[in-house]
Amino acid sequence: MHVLILGGTTEARQLAGLLHGTPGLELTSSLAGRVASPRLPPGEVRVGGFGGAEGMAAWLREHAVDVLVDATHPFAGTISFNAASAAAAARVPLLALRRPGWAPVEGDAWYEAGSLEEAATLLPGLGRRVFLTTGRMGLATFAHLDDLWFLVRSVDAPEPPYPPRMEVLLDRGPFTLAGERDLLRHHRIDVLVTKDSGGTATAPKLTAAREAGVPVIVVRRPPTPEGVQVVTDPESAAHWVTQHPRWGARVEGAP
């Protein structure tokens, strides 16, 4: 049985770890290739795009993929919709693995935004020194805000266009609460912008912001493609794979 995991996330690596070495299971993880030195999961790994939904469907057929797991980042909306279209075209069962989103607690000052553009519109009214943790790909959205100062944290160095008053911090989670407290204090941050990525690796910044009374702009997630089954943890995804009827058919030697 051939399983393709669309990965790049912690959950994708954990799922690959749970499935790797299972007798009779061929495992391939696909990474987008946007990070220069990604953390690789166990098993076979391919890097790069598929060429849209049609290209992915062709890859699924060519490599006889039995089930597809979309374990990409919650904000990787394009590839998730491509995966849904490709899986339908190739008649391959699809599961989405999505970590739960964050939820505000007492003391949080959260402002929801439906997009990076909306976040950029909200920013000038909330602060002047911005901790921007939305990744390096969307910095052009904030490039016109030349009256604000930005601390941008990303895994790889960003490319222009980006805000003219900016300091880049190259780092990769997980982050500690003590470290996030020091960062906010040292850079005199008065507003935080983040995507609702969920998980624990980058959540300490939210606690640090709450403690410091720093408002947080939270960009909402894009929707999951309609009709796609969703689980929230790697263990449930591994169970879905190993209990899928296609697994039983392969074990019994059926075509």
Side-chain angles (χ1 to χ4, degrees), residues 118-191:
E118 186 177 348
T121 300
L122 291 172
L123 259 181
L126 294 174
R128 313 303 296 175
R129 297 183 63 84
V130 185
F131 184 24
L132 189 60
T133 64
T134 56
R136 64 187 177 91
M137 304 302 293
L139 293 185
T141 307
F142 304 90
H144 66 287
L145 298 174
D146 51 10
D147 290 339
L148 307 184
W149 181 88
F150 289 84
L151 176 65
V152 174
R153 182 164 66 191
S154 65
V155 176
D156 294 321
E159 298 180 357
Y162 43 62
R165 302 177 61 207
M166 180 184 76
E167 179 177 333
V168 177
L169 176 61
L170 298 181
D171 204 353
R172 189 200 307 254
F175 302 106
T176 66
L177 178 56
E180 300 293 63
R181 286 169 174 160
D182 290 343
L183 187 149
L184 295 185
R185 182 171 54 251
H186 176 75
H187 293 281
R188 307 191 314 279
I189 299 298
D190 58 12
V191 59

